[in-house]
Amino acid sequence: MYKHFLKRILDFFAALIGLLLLSPIFIIVTIGLFFANSGKPFFFQRRPGKDERIFSIVKFKTMNDKKGADGQLLSDAERLTPIGAFVRKTSLDEIPQLINVLNGDMSLIGPRPLLVQYLPLYNDKQKKRHQVRPGITGWAQVNGRNAISWEQKFELDVWYVDHLSLLLDIKIFILTLKKVFIREGISADGQATMEAFKGSKR
């Protein structure tokens, strides 16, 4: 009952209350990133959700669009703005995803929605991560986030799908608050973001 009905109801009302409570921070961060990113405070990207249905995720834009002499975008670390670094370290960049939760594209808790181009790279077991709505935070995020390997992350995602429950979601929520407070596991070692997934052994 929780997985198929109650979880969605709790997600909706929690996201609504969250947006109302965080609206002052939402406005301040939006203004700051508006000036830091040449009028582009938000980042939109197509991501696969439940049953691999594609939706547009919305986040605060923490990196600018600066390019090198070759016309290509600079590395993530070079494009990460000072305010963007703060927003990312404090996980404030996730706040706009509450809109995705309201729309039903995401859940507060579940496997993180990754890139569309990763879909054909998953093995059969890893594909199970799309049997539930993706989340703003999840079991992998409270067990290493970007500081663990892709294989470890997918193992944790699938474990969550197999053991989804109200008590597990409560546990993940509490651990997420702890992770945000101590700012742990935000990036892979030496990188601003996780390196690209290139596929796993079948």
Side-chain angles (χ1 to χ4, degrees):
M1 181 177 179
Y2 174 71
K3 178 178 179 180
H4 300 288
F5 180 69
L6 185 58
K7 182 175 172 69
R8 173 59 192 148
I9 294 176
L10 293 177
D11 278 338
F12 180 85
F13 286 104
L16 182 61
I17 294 171
L19 279 173
L20 292 174
L21 294 177
L22 295 172
S23 57
I25 297 175
F26 188 99
I27 294 171
I28 292 172
V29 174
T30 298
I31 294 173
L33 291 175
F34 178 88
F35 290 105
N37 297 324
S38 303
K40 300 177 181 178
F42 300 107
F43 169 80
F44 298 91
Q45 191 174 56
R46 304 288 281 172
R47 299 284 179 93
K50 186 176 184 295
D51 300 322
E52 300 184 3
R53 185 177 64 85
I54 308 301
F55 70 98
S56 291
I57 194 173
V58 55
K59 300 178 68 174
F60 279 127
K61 187 176 174 67
T62 57
M63 295 183 288
N64 58 41
D65 298 318
K66 289 184 178 180
K67 299 180 179 180
D70 58 357
Q72 299 297 314
L73 288 172
L74 297 175
S75 69
D76 289 353
E78 291 175 298
R79 294 188 293 118
L80 186 64
T81 62
I83 185 175
F86 171 78
V87 169
R88 179 170 293 184
K89 285 181 179 180
T90 54
S91 295
L92 294 176
D93 58 322
E94 312 289 358
I95 293 178
Q97 288 170 72
L98 290 173
I99 298 172
N100 289 122
V101 176
L102 283 177
N103 290 338
D105 296 319
M106 293 180 63
S107 173
L108 290 179
I109 298 169
R112 286 294 297 159
L114 302 176
L115 301 178
V116 174
Q117 55 262 43
Y118 292 171
L119 286 175
L121 301 179
Y122 300 131
N123 60 36
D124 291 339
K125 182 178 180 180
Q126 292 166 350
K127 288 181 180 179
K128 290 182 65 177
R129 67 192 311 278
H130 293 291
Q131 292 181 3
V132 298
R133 285 187 178 88
I136 295 178
T137 186
W139 190 233
Q141 279 60 54
V142 298
N143 283 283
R145 198 172 175 175
N146 287 343
I148 59 177
S149 70
W150 281 112
E151 285 70 25
Q152 291 172 308
K153 185 179 296 186
F154 294 143
E155 286 286 341
L156 293 167
D157 286 342
V158 173
W159 188 92
Y160 172 80
V161 173
D162 290 338
H163 297 82
L164 194 159
S165 69
L166 175 59
L167 289 178
L168 179 58
D169 278 357
I170 292 174
K171 178 178 180 179
I172 293 172
F173 179 76
I174 294 173
L175 289 174
T176 296
L177 295 180
K178 177 184 175 183
K179 293 284 183 178
V180 170
F181 181 75
I182 63 177
R183 302 180 184 180
E184 181 180 84
I186 301 297
S187 300
D189 186 28
Q191 301 183 53
T193 57
M194 187 77 174
E195 64 175 297
F197 175 56
K198 297 180 176 62
S200 300
K201 293 181 180 180
R202 297 285 166 179

